[in-house]
């Protein structure tokens, strides 16, 4: 894979947003713990399926997951989402070749801690041996090594990875087989659907047979990049769940907890992933919703929590678990988007601030609060209870 575009942010000298936001230490991939003995290879497909489910249950059968997001599902954000109900999370997509070769990339892009479990570490790749080398570095620190077969962006086309490997199924199969045969932790995959359902089902079954212990299905095709324009196809996800024997996760159309309940009921999947909604509202899985989705709530159901409060929590976690400032800047923009629409002059101040500090960001949040126009998060207790009941029933 060509290094230039994917590794551009490693040249940090001219861009302070590439510097770490704090000097606090966090556990990183370089601290390799001893791996457990490799279990004997499964003697049958039945045993592979049994092991996949046994592992899933040991993790507590998590239902509510932070999806992988480039530059956005990093450790402090994962920990914030876990604080508000997420019971598993993915790392951002990591570039397997750069990860295996570049120590600085590893230390900047992958950090974790003991509370950061269950954890999926996701890689993009197009070379089975390079992917295995990278995966070996993280397997002591995670519960699944995940392969990204779903990224639809132009950079994935240029690099020949993600959803563009759907055009090379023999390579897809070899990537999964090589990891499955050589790792101590299970292999998971995240995929998009084909335009034709029969192709999607054949693809999913091939991945399971190759050794995938879990399949996460984004219910949109490779060409359906705009989540607001194209609704995810829950029927296709249900069809995949019906033909596979390993755990299946659903990705797409999750805006609040009623969507979680409806998705689990419709698809029969074993859990859901959320990405874009969590970026605006990391408290989604605790039943909070933004004003866009408060129409079912009474005005007096203001939860007392708002996105500015969540930004303050996130900044404190960044001080504890340092990440590059570019990630911090991105999250502040996403979480305070509604506030910035009321006070665009504050957003402009943020954009002009070349060098960020925690003190400056805290002051900015306080200025927003003092300016008024607070944007509350809402919580509909009846809907939350209904969703909780649905989760409990599906776990039974």
């Amino acid at each position: 894979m060509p290094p230039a575009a994917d590794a551009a942010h490693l040249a940090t000298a001219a861009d302070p947003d590439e510097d770490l936001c704090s000097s606090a230490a966090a556990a990183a991939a370089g601290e390799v713990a001893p791996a457990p003995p490799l279990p004997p290879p499964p003697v049958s497909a039945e045993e592979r399926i049994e092991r996949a489910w046994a592992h899933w249950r040991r993790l507590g059968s998590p239902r509510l997951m932070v999806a992988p997001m480039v530059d956005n599902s990093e450790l402090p954000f994962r920990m914030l989402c876990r604080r508000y109900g997420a019971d598993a999370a993915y790392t951002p997509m990591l570039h397997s070749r750069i990860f295996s070769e570049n120590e600085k990339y590893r230390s900047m892009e992958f950090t974790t801690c003991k509370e950061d479990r269950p954890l999926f570490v996701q890689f993009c790749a197009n070379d089975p041996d390079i992917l295995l080398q990278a995966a070996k570095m993280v397997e002591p620190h995670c519960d699944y090594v995940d392969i990204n077969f779903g990224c639809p962006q132009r950079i994935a086309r240029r690099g020949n990875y993600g959803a563009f490997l759907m055009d090379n199924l023999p390579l897809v199969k070899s990537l999964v087989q090589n990891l499955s045969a050589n790792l101590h932790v299970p292999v998971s995959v995240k995929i998009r659907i084909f335009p034709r359902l029969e192709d999607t089902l054949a693809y999913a079954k091939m991945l399971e047979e190759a050794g995938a212990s879990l399949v996460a299905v984004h219910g949109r095709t490779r060409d359906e990049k705009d989540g607001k324009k194209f609704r995810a196809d829950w029927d296709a996800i249900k069809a995949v769940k019906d033909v596979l024997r390993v755990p299946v996760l659903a990705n797409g159309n999750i805006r609040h907890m009623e969507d979680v309940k409806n998705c689990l009921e419709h698809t029969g999947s074993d859990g859901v992933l959320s990405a874009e909604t969590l970026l605006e509202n990391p408290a989604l899985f605790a039943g909070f919703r933004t004003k866009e989705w408060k129409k079912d709530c009474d005005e007096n159901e203001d939860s007392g929590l708002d996105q500015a409060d969540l930004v303050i929590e996130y900044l404190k976690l960044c001080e504890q678990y340092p990440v590059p400032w570019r990630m911090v800047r991105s999250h502040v923009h996403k979480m305070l988007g509604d506030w910035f629409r009321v006070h665009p002059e504050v957003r402009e101040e943020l954009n002009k601030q070349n060098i960020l500090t925690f003190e400056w960001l805290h002051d900015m949040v306080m200025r927003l609060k003092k300016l008024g126009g607070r944007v509350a998060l809402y919580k509909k207790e009846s809907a939350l209870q209904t969703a909780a009941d649905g989760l409990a029933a599906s776990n039974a």
Side-chain angles (χ1 to χ4, degrees):
M1 283 175 279
D6 294 308
H9 58 274
L10 295 178
T12 66
D15 188 353
D17 264 13
E18 296 299 333
D19 294 334
L20 287 177
C21 65
S22 170
S23 59
E31 301 172 6
V32 179
L38 189 67
V43 295
S44 67
E46 291 293 331
E47 187 175 349
R48 284 195 294 107
I49 301 302
E50 289 173 6
R51 288 184 180 180
W53 280 106
H55 182 75
W56 183 248
R57 294 184 183 110
R58 278 196 299 272
L59 298 178
S61 302
R63 292 284 189 169
L64 309 174
M65 272 156 272
V66 181
M69 294 172 278
V70 173
D71 275 356
N72 281 144
S73 57
E74 83 293 347
L75 177 58
F77 186 74
R78 295 195 302 268
M79 297 304 291
L80 179 63
C81 293
R82 291 180 190 276
R83 186 177 288 178
Y84 285 94
D87 30 43
Y90 287 70
T91 67
M93 181 188 75
L94 302 169
H95 191 292
S96 59
R97 186 187 53 72
I98 302 173
F99 193 91
S100 65
E101 295 175 354
N102 192 303
E103 183 178 355
K104 183 175 184 179
Y105 178 85
R106 291 196 296 273
S107 64
M108 293 281 282
E109 304 300 321
F110 174 58
T111 53
T112 188
C113 62
K114 65 180 182 179
E115 296 84 10
D116 186 30
R117 306 296 281 270
L119 180 65
F120 295 69
V121 176
Q122 187 185 78
F123 289 103
C124 66
N126 59 20
D127 184 300
D129 293 331
I130 291 174
L131 174 59
L132 178 61
Q133 184 180 354
K136 284 283 188 183
M137 294 178 174
V138 302
E139 65 174 337
H141 309 288
C142 67
D143 301 288
Y144 288 92
V145 171
D146 187 78
I147 310 175
N148 181 321
F149 294 130
C151 180
Q153 303 303 325
R154 280 178 294 179
I155 193 170
R157 182 192 292 274
R158 292 199 301 270
N160 188 34
Y161 59 79
F164 296 94
L165 294 185
M166 295 167 77
D167 298 329
N168 189 347
L169 296 185
L171 175 56
V172 167
K173 185 175 182 179
S174 68
L175 289 166
V176 177
Q177 284 178 325
N178 196 41
L179 284 197
S180 178
N182 291 287
L183 289 184
H184 305 111
V185 296
V187 178
S188 61
V189 295
K190 188 168 186 292
I191 66 172
R192 284 188 172 237
I193 60 174
F194 282 90
R196 296 196 325 154
L197 180 60
E198 52 266 43
D199 293 336
T200 300
L201 299 182
Y203 182 38
K205 287 190 280 189
M206 180 268 286
L207 291 164
E208 180 181 85
E209 291 165 3
S213 293
L214 179 146
V215 177
V217 185
H218 188 149
R220 296 183 177 93
T221 68
R222 186 171 69 192
D223 294 327
E224 294 174 336
K225 300 181 182 70
D226 188 341
K228 293 184 177 179
K229 181 178 179 182
F230 299 102
R231 296 283 292 166
D233 187 346
W234 285 359
D235 289 335
I237 299 174
K238 179 183 188 306
V240 172
K241 173 60 183 173
D242 288 344
V243 300
L244 293 193
R245 301 169 65 196
V246 297
V248 172
L249 307 180
N251 186 192
N253 304 348
I254 302 299
R255 302 157 302 179
H256 43 68
M257 285 300 290
E258 285 174 280
D259 285 340
V260 171
K261 173 182 176 291
N262 293 337
C263 181
L264 291 173
E265 288 180 350
H266 189 104
T267 64
S269 60
D270 302 288
V272 300
L273 284 72
S274 179
E276 290 296 325
T277 302
L278 280 175
L279 291 179
E280 296 179 15
N281 173 24
L284 161 70
F285 290 138
F288 296 90
R289 60 179 73 193
T290 59
K291 67 173 184 177
E292 183 179 4
W293 307 110
K294 76 162 187 147
K295 55 182 176 292
D296 296 328
C297 299
D298 297 332
E299 285 297 325
N300 61 4
E301 290 184 283
D302 178 339
S303 66
L305 182 72
D306 59 46
Q307 287 146 306
D309 299 328
L310 293 174
V311 168
I312 295 298
E313 288 191 62
Y314 172 70
L315 294 176
K316 290 178 181 177
L317 286 165
C318 289
E319 294 187 67
Q320 184 176 0
Y321 305 114
V323 293
W325 280 112
R326 72 174 187 278
M327 299 181 183
V328 181
R329 187 186 292 271
S330 174
H331 280 298
V332 170
H333 270 289
K334 287 283 189 180
M335 280 190 259
L336 293 179
D338 288 337
W339 296 63
F340 288 151
R341 279 185 278 277
V342 178
H343 299 292
E345 72 280 7
V346 182
R347 178 179 55 214
E348 289 307 310
E349 289 178 30
L350 173 60
N351 290 338
K352 291 176 182 177
Q353 189 71 17
N354 291 328
I355 299 177
L356 293 178
T357 65
F358 288 115
E359 181 180 9
W360 190 92
L361 288 169
H362 280 284
D363 287 346
M364 183 203 72
V365 174
M366 291 303 106
R367 285 202 308 278
L368 271 177
K369 284 179 171 284
K370 289 177 181 177
L371 285 170
R374 174 176 175 267
V375 183
L377 291 173
Y378 295 84
K379 195 170 186 180
K380 186 177 181 182
E381 293 296 341
S382 58
L384 185 58
Q385 185 58 51
T386 299
D389 291 343
L391 289 170
S394 57
N395 266 325

